[in-house]
Amino acid sequence: MKRFLCLATLALALPVHASNPGLDAMARQQDIPVTELRVFAEVMERIRSAYVEEIDDRALLEAAIRGMLLDLDPHSAYLTPNEFDDLQVSTSGEFGGVGMEVTMEDGFVTVVTPLDDTPASRAGIQASDIILKIGDTFVKGMTLNEAVELLRGEIGTDVELSVMREGEDKPRSITLTRDRIRIQSVRSERLEDSYGYVRVTQFQNNTGRDVQRAIERLRQEQPALKGLILDLRNNPGGVLGGAVQVADLFLDDGLIVYTQGRDDASRINYGASRGDVIEGLPLVVLVNGGSASASEIVAGALQDHTRAVIVGRRTFGKGSVQTVLPLHEDRALKLTTARYYTPNGRSIQADGIHPDITVNVARVELMEAREGIREADLPHHLASGETPEAGQQEDDLASRDYDLYQALSILKGIHLSRQRAR
């Protein structure tokens, strides 16, 4: 990079069409394309002399750096001191904003997922929604960081979004009130009496520990736990270490994930340590199109090791590794440096994790049962002698969360098949 800047400086100092044997020789030694370098210098000079407004050289060079990174992939970016600070704040688990993970696709800001219990999720923002305008500003042509900066603001202030959704003819206008976004990484509950449910909304440094504690609480409440559902829907990812820790909780050994850069020497393996926190109990992992990055690492590892049944819809397909490289004067470079691969060598990038059992998007409306006359309807029938059990939870779950209802049904089926095989 320093050599490139040195050459760029020399090119700027030369007349645009001049030939310099020393520069040409230096460029040949370093495989630097001299023609393109001179074009860059010429474009910069034309902007400085002919643009309608005077532009500071520093601003021009920063714009050139941004453009260079923007053309690489949606996740590489140049970070100013303020943007670097925002990145560090957003990974701490609490920040101000509207509560959604976004990415850049074909020049448009696209929602990866709304975060649980945030203004975005409460307003009905969905994964794959395309944001056309933020306030009065069209986002086409913006960098991702610039769009995120517009979404953030003081708590209590409103921001109006123009959102285009697949299958709709025209954009919808949605007004969100910015709030303090606190990410509760893990929550859990019992489904019926003998099945556990753990949801991970985002992977943070302590997510592995928090998942383990949640499972321990479930097992204390229900010692005869029959199985567990791990819900990774609309989980945009987060810290790689948190994903490795969570996958490791359910694996006894073997590879969890590996990263591979440009050369063989850049490969890094992440393996499992001994010990399955649920001791081989049936495990179902719920995913959807909003499950990305670290979520896909967990799902892919458990799928390749046949430790869990993956249920839902194909995941987002964000399988690249970004490294934050500090630069001069508190700036930073967020650069894609490698790809993620599952234990069996599958690339997650642009393909995602395909579920073992697909559950299509559906809405369930319960209907009154019309099953004819039963024994209990006959006059003077004998009572069973037992207290009836409430049987509405499963039906309520089907209407409230169809994906989860299906996952629970699959988990029950796995448990019953194991019981009958003994």
Side-chain angles (χ1 to χ4, degrees):
M1 185 67 179
K2 289 180 180 178
R3 290 168 180 163
F4 176 81
L5 290 175
C6 177
L7 284 168
T9 303
L10 285 173
L12 287 168
L14 292 171
V16 169
H17 298 292
S19 176
N20 185 291
L23 177 63
D24 291 346
M26 182 178 178
R28 284 195 297 272
Q29 290 176 1
Q30 304 299 331
D31 294 326
I32 299 293
V34 177
T35 300
E36 285 75 13
L37 195 59
R38 284 204 173 97
V39 170
F40 170 78
E42 182 176 1
V43 169
M44 185 168 177
E45 182 58 35
R46 294 289 175 86
I47 294 172
R48 291 163 73 184
S49 62
Y51 187 65
V52 65
E53 294 179 354
E54 186 175 350
I55 303 292
D56 180 68
D57 285 351
R58 185 187 185 98
L60 271 179
L61 287 170
E62 285 205 345
I65 295 171
R66 288 183 184 276
M68 182 164 50
L69 288 158
L70 183 64
D71 210 37
L72 295 178
D73 67 84
H75 309 291
S76 294
Y78 170 69
L79 305 177
T80 64
N82 287 339
E83 291 166 342
F84 192 18
D85 288 342
D86 287 344
L87 178 65
Q88 293 171 314
V89 168
S90 67
T91 56
S92 67
E94 180 174 317
F95 55 95
V98 296
M100 57 185 174
E101 182 81 7
V102 294
T103 189
M104 189 71 73
E105 286 187 3
D106 300 324
F108 290 100
V109 176
T110 304
V111 178
V112 175
T113 182
L115 304 178
D116 286 353
D117 195 26
T118 62
S121 64
R122 290 192 290 267
I125 295 287
Q126 297 180 9
S128 299
D129 281 353
I130 296 173
I131 299 175
L132 303 177
K133 288 174 62 178
I134 302 174
D136 295 326
T137 306
F138 285 95
V139 299
K140 176 72 172 176
M142 278 188 179
T143 67
L144 189 61
N145 288 328
E146 288 170 341
V148 170
E149 192 70 22
L150 288 177
L151 289 170
R152 292 181 178 172
E154 292 187 16
I155 294 170
T157 60
D158 290 341
V159 57
E160 185 178 357
L161 306 182
S162 179
V163 175
M164 193 70 190
R165 183 166 297 167
E166 185 178 357
E168 296 185 354
D169 297 331
K170 58 182 181 179
R172 60 174 68 189
S173 178
I174 300 176
T175 300
L176 304 176
T177 301
R178 296 182 179 97
D179 197 359
R180 187 178 305 280
I181 308 301
R182 298 180 180 90
I183 301 175
Q184 182 182 353
S185 178
V186 178
R187 63 181 178 85
S188 61
E189 63 178 287
R190 283 189 300 163
L191 300 176
E192 300 185 352
D193 289 332
S194 304
Y195 296 94
Y197 170 83
V198 174
R199 169 149 178 76
V200 180
T201 58
Q202 187 174 8
F203 288 94
Q204 300 170 353
N205 290 323
N206 297 321
T207 300
R209 178 202 65 189
D210 294 343
V211 170
Q212 183 169 3
R213 289 178 177 175
I215 293 172
E216 288 171 353
R217 286 195 298 270
L218 286 170
R219 300 197 77 172
Q220 288 173 0
E221 296 170 3
Q222 183 61 49
L225 197 68
K226 295 177 181 177
L228 182 75
I229 294 172
L230 178 64
D231 189 352
L232 302 181
R233 291 173 298 173
N234 295 329
N235 181 324
V239 179
L240 171 61
V244 171
Q245 293 165 12
V246 170
D248 192 12
L249 290 175
F250 306 104
L251 297 173
D252 271 325
D253 56 25
L255 192 61
I256 292 174
V257 67
Y258 69 90
T259 63
Q260 181 72 59
R262 289 169 62 180
D263 55 73
D264 293 339
S266 66
R267 173 165 170 163
I268 302 176
N269 296 336
Y270 298 87
S273 57
R274 191 158 187 80
D276 179 349
V277 71
I278 59 172
E279 299 173 342
L281 287 175
L283 177 64
V284 168
V285 178
L286 261 177
V287 296
N288 65 4
S291 306
S293 191
S295 300
E296 297 172 291
I297 288 171
V298 174
L302 297 177
Q303 186 179 54
D304 280 7
H305 285 284
T306 63
R307 177 60 189 91
V309 176
I310 312 301
V311 175
R313 292 173 291 284
R314 184 164 68 119
T315 60
F316 183 75
K318 197 273 183 182
S320 58
V321 183
Q322 281 69 50
T323 303
V324 177
L325 307 170
L327 300 173
H328 184 59
E329 294 183 344
D330 294 328
R331 288 163 169 76
L333 189 64
K334 187 174 73 167
L335 191 65
T336 300
T337 55
R339 287 182 172 88
Y340 290 123
Y341 295 86
T342 71
N344 289 347
R346 295 181 293 157
S347 173
I348 295 170
Q349 178 62 25
D351 186 36
I353 301 300
H354 295 253
D356 299 307
I357 300 175
T358 299
V359 177
N360 293 319
V361 180
R363 182 175 65 250
V364 175
E365 295 181 2
L366 300 180
M367 301 178 66
E368 291 185 11
R370 297 174 181 172
E371 299 175 344
I373 297 175
R374 294 176 176 273
E375 172 72 16
D377 300 319
L378 298 177
H380 310 300
H381 68 270
L382 294 175
S384 67
E386 296 181 1
T387 303
E389 295 182 1
Q392 291 301 312
Q393 180 178 1
E394 203 173 334
D395 290 340
D396 292 341
L397 180 60
S399 58
R400 174 170 55 91
D401 190 335
Y402 181 68
D403 288 7
L404 183 54
Y405 169 76
Q406 291 284 52
L408 180 58
S409 299
I410 292 165
L411 190 61
K412 288 178 178 180
I414 297 170
H415 171 72
L416 289 173
S417 65
R418 288 189 181 185
Q419 289 293 102
R420 290 172 180 173
R422 290 178 181 174

